Amino acid sequence: DARVTQTPRHKVTEMGQEVTMRCQPILGHNTVFWYRQTMMQGLELLAYFRNRAPLDDSGMPKDRFSAEMPDATLATLKIQPSEPRDSAVYFCASGLVAGGPYEQFFGPGTRLTVL
Amino acid sequence: QKEVEQDPGPLSVPEGAIVSLNCTYSNSAFQYFMWYRQYSRKGPELLMYTYSSGNKEDGRFTAQVDKSSKYISLFIRDSQPSDSATYLCAMSAGTSGTYKYIFGTGTRLKVLA
C-alpha cells in the first residue's frame, strides 16, 4: 500500500527555533509538493519539485523557508527562524505527472505549533 | 480576490439529503477540475476529477463543470454520516510546464444521523 509519509506528525517549538519537516514521496512519482493549511487561508502551495528540480517556490517566504530534495526518496522543508504565524499543518503530496490531469497523493501532515 | 472561491460552511444536512457544494473561479484557462475530500486530521484524498465542461457521475457523487459561468459543483445524493468531511475543489490550467493545482479553502460538511 504505497503512501506518502511525513515526519514528525506533530511539532511544538519556540519562536526563533529551526524546524525541519521531512517527506517520503511515493516511489516512482516524479513531482513533489509542499502545502500549508490554515483555517483562514486554506491549502496554500509553498513549493514543488519535478524530478527533484525546484519548479516553483513563489509561495514560500524566502527569508525563512527553504525546500530541498536531496534524493528521490526525501523532500525537506525548513523554517529558520520559526515564528508564531508559521503555526499550521504542513502537507507533502506527490504525483506522477505525464501530461494531462493527475492525482496528488497527500501525506498525513505535520502539525506545527510555534509558541 | 482569490483565483478560486469556495464557501467555507459549515453545512449541516440530515442523513439522506442531497448536498450541493460549489466553487467559482476567475482563470478561464483552467481546464482540469478536481474534488478532494479531507477527513479531520487527515490529508486530502481525490474524490473525482473532470476535464473541461460537462458532468461526471460516480456512485452517489456527481461533478459538474460550467466553464461559461466559471462554476463547478459537486452533488452528493443520499448523504451519509460518513460523508462528513471537508470538501476542497482544485483546478489547473494543465498547460505544458504548469503542474500545480489551485485549491479552494474547502467547505465543511456535516451529515446528521
Side-chain angles (χ1 to χ4, degrees):
Chain A
D1 182 26
R3 63 182 69 184
V4 176
T5 58
Q6 289 185 249
T7 56
R9 293 293 310 278
H10 302 272
K11 176 73 176 180
V12 180
T13 191
E14 293 189 346
M15 184 173 62
Q17 296 298 303
E18 177 178 302
V19 175
T20 299
M21 291 170 268
R22 294 177 174 81
C23 166
Q24 183 171 9
I26 291 173
L27 192 64
H29 283 183
N30 60 1
T31 309
V32 175
F33 304 83
W34 281 106
Y35 291 92
R36 175 172 62 186
Q37 187 175 42
T38 60
M39 288 289 289
M40 291 299 294
Q41 298 299 325
L43 205 58
E44 299 175 282
L45 179 65
L46 297 175
Y48 69 106
F49 297 79
R50 189 176 191 214
N51 296 324
R52 295 176 53 203
L55 279 193
D56 186 347
D57 62 0
S58 58
M60 286 200 314
K62 300 284 192 307
D63 56 339
R64 298 185 301 108
F65 283 60
S66 63
E68 295 179 345
M69 269 202 83
D71 62 60
T73 64
L74 178 65
T76 61
L77 180 67
K78 290 186 181 178
I79 308 174
Q80 169 62 23
S82 58
E83 297 181 2
R85 59 180 166 151
D86 301 329
S87 298
V89 181
Y90 291 80
F91 287 103
C92 174
S94 71
L96 181 59
V97 180
Y102 63 93
E103 180 175 356
Q104 289 188 22
F105 293 82
F106 283 79
T110 294
R111 187 171 294 270
L112 174 65
T113 302
V114 183
L115 303 174
Chain B
Q1 185 188 4
K2 291 188 174 183
E3 272 190 291
V4 178
E5 299 277 0
Q6 187 174 9
D7 188 333
L11 180 63
S12 291
V13 300
E15 184 176 356
I18 296 174
V19 176
S20 172
L21 304 166
N22 312 293
C23 288
T24 58
Y25 62 94
S26 56
N27 188 345
S28 57
F30 287 152
Q31 55 179 333
Y32 299 125
F33 303 93
M34 304 203 168
W35 286 96
Y36 279 77
R37 179 173 60 194
Q38 184 177 19
Y39 290 114
S40 181
R41 297 186 174 263
K42 303 283 187 186
E45 294 176 307
L46 181 65
L47 193 58
M48 292 183 71
Y49 85 86
T50 52
Y51 169 66
S52 196
S53 284
N55 293 359
K56 186 173 183 178
E57 191 173 317
D58 184 1
R60 296 185 294 111
F61 298 89
T62 299
Q64 206 169 70
V65 174
D66 181 350
K67 290 191 72 179
S68 62
S69 301
K70 298 191 181 70
Y71 189 87
I72 70 170
S73 300
L74 177 70
F75 297 96
I76 307 174
R77 290 184 300 282
D78 187 25
S79 56
Q80 302 295 309
S82 58
D83 295 328
S84 298
T86 296
Y87 290 80
L88 301 102
C89 61
M91 43 198 85
S92 170
T95 52
S96 176
T98 300
Y99 305 102
K100 62 183 182 182
Y101 287 111
I102 308 299
F103 282 81
T105 51
T107 300
R108 261 196 311 140
L109 171 67
K110 188 164 187 178
V111 181
L112 306 169

